[in-house]
Amino acid sequence: VIFAIIRIITAIFLKETLATAAGDAALAVQEKVRSKEQYVSRLEEIFLEADSDGNGVITKAEMDSACSNAVVLHYLSILEIEVHEVEPLFDLLDDGDGEVTIKEFCQGIMRLKGQARSLDVISIMHDANMIMTQCREMKRSLALLEQTLGVASGMKDTRRDQLRALDDTTLHSHLMNNNGET
């Protein structure tokens, strides 16, 4: 009987411990969501401070002006975001239309904060591979066009022959080292 009572008491303690642990996990998730919401709220404040004309988008000029504004720099430093150069930051946040919306701003800054994720690295590798494939196709098309027309591309013959002899990877690194000289 004593053994059974001890087992029952142990089971009760174990049940309470597991319930508390499950509650802690749910509480941790709630805290993470609340923290993210606060972070987004602060980013929105920064955006509104930077949007000097109040039209809901930030232009490159407004971004430049905002990054020289002490209030905006203070907000960014609180969020552990250092802005050294405005133009690259704007280019990272912009989707190509020359303006940054509040959604682009918040999503972009949140992606800048923290370490690169595997998905980000794989995405960059994929884009780089697509660009290299397009470069190879352009190289082949140009060679075919030159051959068909019997015209040189304007390069010195020795330089062109050297470039044709290079494989694609070597060509890429060679062009990067010579800054695209022809």
Side-chain angles (χ1 to χ4, degrees):
V1 170
I2 293 174
F3 181 72
I5 292 174
I6 291 174
R7 296 298 271 171
I8 291 172
I9 292 173
T10 304
I12 292 172
F13 279 129
L14 185 59
K15 179 182 174 188
E16 289 299 316
T17 302
L18 292 175
T20 303
D24 286 346
L27 187 62
V29 168
Q30 288 176 344
E31 180 61 32
K32 183 83 171 174
V33 168
R34 187 175 23 256
S35 173
K36 183 178 178 181
E37 288 172 353
Q38 288 175 344
Y39 190 79
V40 169
S41 175
R42 289 185 178 151
L43 287 176
E44 289 171 349
E45 290 175 24
I46 293 170
F47 180 89
L48 295 174
E49 184 70 32
D51 184 17
S52 57
D53 60 5
N55 65 349
V57 293
I58 297 176
T59 62
K60 196 173 280 194
E62 286 176 321
M63 179 72 87
D64 190 34
S65 172
C67 288
S68 61
N69 181 338
V71 174
V72 172
L73 290 175
H74 179 70
Y75 275 131
L76 289 172
S77 68
I78 289 172
L79 298 176
E80 299 175 2
I81 299 168
E82 299 296 323
V83 179
H84 301 289
E85 294 184 34
V86 177
E87 192 167 330
L89 175 63
F90 184 85
D91 291 340
L92 286 172
L93 299 176
D94 182 24
D95 65 358
D97 61 359
E99 298 175 330
V100 176
T101 64
I102 194 165
K103 181 180 176 184
E104 292 170 346
F105 183 80
C106 292
Q107 287 177 346
I109 294 293
M110 288 177 67
R111 289 190 77 164
L112 288 174
K113 186 167 173 48
Q115 298 177 348
R117 299 180 305 211
S118 297
L119 180 63
D120 296 330
V121 174
I122 290 171
S123 175
I124 290 170
M125 289 173 54
H126 173 55
D127 291 347
N129 286 334
M130 286 181 56
I131 291 169
M132 283 302 297
T133 301
Q134 291 172 348
C135 287
R136 284 186 209 109
E137 290 173 13
M138 288 173 43
K139 179 183 165 189
R140 288 184 189 111
S141 296
L142 181 60
L144 181 63
L145 184 63
E146 287 178 348
Q147 190 177 36
T148 303
L149 296 175
V151 177
S153 65
M155 284 189 211
K156 298 175 194 167
D157 287 338
T158 56
R159 179 86 165 135
R160 187 179 64 243
D161 292 339
Q162 288 172 348
L163 290 175
R164 282 187 181 155
L166 299 174
D167 62 43
D168 293 328
T169 306
T170 310
L171 176 62
H172 179 273
S173 62
H174 183 74
L175 289 175
M176 290 296 123
N177 291 338
N178 290 323
N179 295 325
E181 288 178 17
T182 55

